[in-house]
Each structure stands twice: as structure tokens, then as C-alpha cells.
Amino acid sequence: MKYAILAAGEGSRLAEEGVQLPKPLVRLCGEPMIDRLIRVFTQCGASEIDIIVNDLHASTLEHLSEVSEQNPLVRFKVKSTPSSMHSFFELMPMLGEGKFCLTTVDTIFREEEFQEFISQFEQSEADGMMAVTDFVDDEKPLYISTDAGLRITGFHDIGGGCQFISGGIYCLSDMAFPTLVRCIEAGKSRMRNFQRQLIEDGLRLVAYPFSKILDVDHASDIPKAEAFLRGL
């Protein structure tokens, strides 16, 4: 199965708060965030790891050039995009046919939970499986409603009794690509609008609960993420 990393964001909030490294290279427990994902995906048996980064930081490009020389699974594309959904669209030709897992570069999770998530998706007949959590530490969480069998029934900006929020890890198949193309053609943006369209188009999406998933958007998130990874 292929894996994809969205790393084309500017990381402006981190920079404004004094973090000098571009977001993909921010270290957690001594390891750059993008290297952590590459390592985890490789351990999960990735057949290919496709990455999109912007053209704003030469250090990121240099780093990925070195990584791709050492790890033949890694391929990357350089392009600045207006949203994560547009970044996904740019990676679509690289992902090709079949199943894949897509995530943003700053998604922090427990590795053992992720491995089980991937195993469940590989065995699943669903069109997609979304990582969810009941831990809310996000400025604008995307709430997810499900039925009793954890089939996703909607994506919401307001909770309204929803148990889970999106964890920002998306396992999908190439069946999602026509929806993505239509979203781009319609001028839609943001991954949450794409996910809503998947439901409207009748794709069967199921939720997979994680105990906790964090994002690194602010400087204060770095020590939180490190403590989480250390099990504190």
C-alpha cells in the first residue's frame, strides 16, 4: 500500500512564535516529524511514500533529497498549494490505483495504534477508513457523526453531540479520486469539504478510534507532542 504526506503548508504560526525550522523538520524527541512518518510508514510495509512540500524552504528540499537517496520508497513533489485538499490533488497521479494512506506532516499518534489501524483498513471492504479520536485539542476541530457500527454519517464544524473528531489520517482507495476532481473543479477547498462530498457521493467510510491524536500548529504543541510520544 502507498502512503502520502501533505507537507506543503507554510507553518506560519510556528514561525511567528519563534520556531526557526520549517514544520517538516521540527524535531520531536530528536527526530524530524517528516522522518518519523517515513519511518513508521516504512515499518508498516509501504510500497511507496509520496510527499508534497512547498518551495519556500531550501532546507526541507535538501533534507528530502538526502532521505530519498537513502530510502528508495520516498518520492516527493515540490509545489506550493492553497490548501491541503489541493496538495492531495497534486499527489493523486503519484498514488495511482488501489488503497493508500494520507496524512498531514504534523499528525502525532501512537505507533502501535497506527499499525493496527492500517491492518484493519487493509482487511476492510469499506471505501475509506478515517482515524478519529475523542481527545479534542484543536482550534477548529472537525466533528464526526457515526452510526452504531462506526460508519461515518457526517462531518460537522459544530459538535452537536458527536463523540469523535477527525484525527487527520485518511485511508482511502482510488474510488475517492473522482470526488476529489469534482471538488477541485467546483472551486471547493479544505479537506473537510472533500470528506463531506465523499459522503454525498455515497462512499462507505468507517471511523477507527485512536486514544489520542495531536497536531503541531503552535510552539507550545511541541513539548505536548514530545510528552505524548514518551508516554507521559
Side-chain angles (χ1 to χ4, degrees):
M1 191 168 78
K2 292 184 179 181
Y3 291 76
I5 303 173
L6 305 179
E10 295 181 7
S12 56
R13 284 173 290 188
L14 287 172
E16 290 169 358
E17 295 168 6
V19 177
Q20 297 181 350
L21 289 171
K23 182 181 277 192
L25 302 186
V26 169
R27 292 179 174 268
L28 299 178
C29 303
E31 185 177 32
M33 287 196 292
I34 199 163
D35 287 11
R36 176 178 182 269
L37 289 178
I38 291 170
R39 174 178 57 79
V40 172
F41 296 165
T42 300
Q43 291 172 348
C44 286
S47 61
E48 187 173 290
I49 302 172
D50 299 320
I51 305 169
I52 181 168
V53 295
N54 61 46
D55 57 4
L56 301 177
H57 304 287
S59 57
T60 302
L61 304 184
E62 292 171 2
H63 181 80
L64 281 179
S65 295
E66 294 175 0
V67 169
S68 62
E69 289 180 1
Q70 299 170 4
N71 187 338
L73 300 178
V74 174
R75 302 194 304 168
F76 68 95
K77 180 173 186 176
V78 181
K79 186 168 184 178
S80 295
T81 62
S83 74
S84 55
M85 191 183 77
H86 287 80
S87 291
F88 177 23
F89 179 74
E90 293 295 332
L91 286 181
M92 184 176 66
M94 299 171 71
L95 293 170
E97 299 180 351
K99 292 183 173 183
F100 61 90
C101 178
L102 173 82
T103 186
T104 53
V105 72
D106 63 338
T107 303
I108 310 303
F109 48 79
R110 289 193 171 95
E111 294 179 23
E112 62 273 15
E113 289 184 327
F114 181 81
Q115 291 166 355
E116 181 59 28
F117 167 61
I118 294 299
S119 176
Q120 290 295 320
F121 177 62
E122 289 177 332
Q123 300 172 48
S124 174
E125 296 182 359
D127 299 315
M129 184 174 286
M130 307 298 194
V132 302
T133 179
D134 59 8
F135 176 80
V136 182
D137 185 27
D138 196 307
E139 295 172 350
K140 295 181 180 179
L142 177 62
Y143 294 92
I144 294 179
S145 56
T146 64
D147 64 16
L150 290 182
R151 178 167 180 168
I152 296 174
T153 56
F155 297 91
H156 316 277
D157 293 326
I158 300 174
C162 295
Q163 180 180 358
F164 300 115
I165 66 168
S166 172
I169 310 172
Y170 321 97
C171 279
L172 295 165
S173 75
D174 55 4
M175 289 185 64
F177 291 156
T179 298
L180 177 60
V181 171
R182 284 196 296 273
C183 285
I184 293 293
E185 291 176 344
K188 295 183 179 181
S189 62
R190 306 189 70 188
M191 284 294 289
R192 61 183 59 194
N193 293 325
F194 162 69
Q195 292 175 83
R196 288 172 178 137
Q197 192 63 50
L198 289 173
I199 296 293
E200 291 183 20
D201 288 351
L203 274 71
R204 181 172 179 267
L205 307 179
V206 296
Y208 185 91
F210 280 58
S211 60
K212 183 189 287 190
I213 298 175
L214 302 176
D215 291 332
V216 178
D217 291 320
H218 297 279
S220 60
D221 294 332
I222 297 174
K224 289 181 188 178
E226 290 185 317
F228 172 52
L229 292 175
R230 291 189 176 112
L232 302 177

